[in-house]
Amino acid sequence: MPTLTYRDALNQALREEMQRDPDVFLMGEGGGVDQGAYKVSRGLLDECVPMPAVATPITPLGVPVRGVGVAMVGLRPVIEFMTWNFALLAIDQLVNSAAKMRYMSAGQVGVPAVFRGPGGSALQLGAQHSQAFESWYAHIPGLKVVMPATPADAKGLLKSAIRDDDPVVFIEGEMLYNLKGEVPEGEHVVPLGKADVKRPGRDVTIVCHSKTVAVALKAAEQLATDGVDAEVIDLRTIRPLDEEAVLTSVVRTHRCVVAEEGWPFAGVGAQVVDTIQREAFDDLDAPVLRVTGADVPMPYNKQLEKTAKVDPARVIAAVNSVLYRD
C-alpha cells in the first residue's frame, strides 16, 4: 500500500468521491484558489471532477446555510471550515436545520452533507483556536460525529461520511495533517460507528480517539516494557458510539482508562464511562479513570500549554492507578 499523509488521504477520498458521484462537490473557506486552509482540497478546483470545488468567503455563518439548502434538494456537499473553533457561528444551521430536517419532515427531506475541518489544539494558537467540541455535536440527535486518527481511517471514514444520507460532523485533528501511514488504494471504505483495536492487550483497556490515539499507543509501548499489556481502542466515530467494542474489551481486561483531548466536564469520556458502569459494572476490578485536557481555556505559553494537554505520562499514571501499581 502507498504511504500517504493524513492530508493527502483526505484529498484522495474527496477526489474519488467526486469522480464516483456527480452530486458530490466541495464548498468551503479557501477551498478554491487557496487550495484549502490546510491544503486538503489541493488541486480539486482545477480538476473539476466532475463538479468543481466552490471557493467561498471566510464566512462560517453563511457557508453552511448554502450547504444545508443544496443538500435538501439532493446534492451532497462537503462543507469545509477553516477551523471548528470558529464554526460555532454555524451551530444554528447544524443543530436546528441539518440535524432535525429528516425528523421534522417525517422522513421526506434529508440533509446528506458533510461538515469537515480541523479541530482541537495545535501549537501555541491560544484559547480561541484550541478547543475540542466533539462532545457538543455528539449531544445532538440527528448528527453523526466522526474523528479519524490515521491516514487510512481518514480516507475510509470520509468516503463513508460522504455516502451517508444524514449530516456528518467530520473533525480532523489539526496536528495530524502531516502524519504518514499506509492507505489502501481505490475502494477503501470504513463504516461509521465501528471502533478499531489499534493495539490488542489483556491487562487494561485504553479508550481514545483522534489525537489521543497516538498518545495512548506511546503509553502502551512504555507500559509493555514494564510488563503491562494494554489494549488501545480507537473509537473513530463518537456518534454512533461503538459500545459493543468497548464493552467486549473491558469485560476481558477488567480495567479501563479513557483518554480524550477535550475538557473533563460532560466530555466524550463521560459517556464512555457511563456505558461501562451501566453494562459492565460487575466485570470491573477498578474504577474507570479519565485523562482529559485541563479544565481551563488553553494557555498560549508553551510550557503551560504542554501541561494542559494529555500526554503519555498521564495515561501511564492512570493505568498504574487502575492496576493498583501506584
Side-chain angles (χ1 to χ4, degrees):
M1 290 185 289
T3 297
L4 299 177
T5 64
Y6 186 98
R7 169 190 292 107
D8 289 338
L10 292 167
N11 181 275
Q12 191 176 92
L14 287 167
R15 178 176 288 102
E16 290 177 3
E17 289 305 295
M18 290 168 71
Q19 292 172 338
R20 183 190 63 85
D21 185 345
D23 290 333
V24 176
F25 73 102
L26 175 70
M27 62 183 299
E29 302 164 343
V33 294
D34 294 328
Q35 311 296 317
Y38 288 86
K39 301 299 182 279
V40 171
S41 52
R42 185 179 64 254
L44 297 179
L45 179 68
D46 298 329
E47 294 181 23
C48 299
V49 284
M51 186 182 292
V54 178
T56 70
I58 303 175
T59 53
L61 178 60
V63 176
V65 174
R66 294 168 176 82
V68 170
V70 298
M72 289 173 60
V73 296
L75 296 179
R76 291 181 174 269
V78 179
I79 298 149
E80 178 177 296
F81 294 122
M82 291 184 71
T83 169
W84 277 101
N85 288 281
F86 295 160
L88 292 181
L89 292 168
I91 199 168
D92 175 61
Q93 289 302 313
L94 270 69
V95 171
N96 283 328
S97 294
K100 296 174 173 58
M101 191 59 64
R102 183 178 297 281
Y103 174 81
M104 295 182 71
S105 68
Q108 298 179 78
V109 180
V111 182
V114 176
F115 303 87
R116 53 155 293 271
S121 62
L123 294 175
Q124 289 188 275
L125 293 183
Q128 294 171 333
H129 289 77
S130 307
Q131 302 166 109
F133 286 137
E134 54 265 29
S135 64
W136 289 28
Y137 295 105
H139 183 65
I140 308 302
L143 292 180
K144 297 178 180 179
V145 181
V146 181
M147 299 189 69
T150 67
D153 285 345
K155 177 182 178 179
L157 289 168
L158 183 54
K159 290 173 76 74
S160 290
I162 291 171
R163 298 179 189 187
D164 200 276
D165 290 331
D166 291 306
V168 178
V169 170
F170 197 93
I171 304 176
E172 299 149 14
E174 193 161 345
M175 293 294 292
L176 298 178
Y177 283 123
N178 289 326
L179 177 70
K180 293 183 178 181
E182 291 186 338
V183 179
E185 294 183 289
E187 184 67 359
H188 172 60
V189 179
V190 176
L192 305 186
K194 293 293 183 183
D196 185 42
V197 179
K198 288 292 191 284
R199 187 185 193 279
R202 65 177 183 275
D203 296 328
V204 61
T205 300
I206 305 176
V207 179
C208 48
H209 64 274
S210 189
K211 283 180 277 187
T212 57
V213 172
V215 173
L217 288 172
K218 288 181 181 178
E221 290 174 6
Q222 294 180 44
L223 287 163
T225 65
D226 199 24
V228 176
D229 190 17
E231 179 154 291
V232 176
I233 303 290
D234 176 8
L235 293 176
R236 298 199 292 195
T237 302
I238 308 304
R239 187 164 187 173
L241 181 68
D242 190 351
E243 296 184 353
E244 181 180 357
V246 173
L247 294 171
T248 297
S249 179
V250 171
V251 166
R252 186 177 65 256
T253 66
H254 306 294
R255 294 172 172 85
C256 183
V257 169
V258 185
E260 63 178 304
E261 182 183 11
W263 297 300
F265 191 87
V268 172
Q271 183 65 40
V272 175
V273 173
D274 173 73
T275 298
I276 295 170
Q277 68 84 21
R278 180 168 25 90
E279 301 293 341
F281 180 83
D282 291 337
D283 293 287
L284 290 173
D285 288 341
V288 181
L289 294 184
R290 297 171 61 202
V291 182
T292 72
D295 197 18
V296 297
M298 184 65 72
Y300 174 77
N301 177 276
K302 186 175 182 179
Q303 295 305 317
L304 291 177
E305 181 188 53
K306 183 178 180 181
T307 302
K309 293 180 177 180
V310 176
D311 61 17
R314 292 178 59 198
V315 174
I316 290 171
V319 168
N320 284 331
S321 181
V322 300
L323 289 169
Y324 300 114
R325 291 158 52 97
D326 54 351

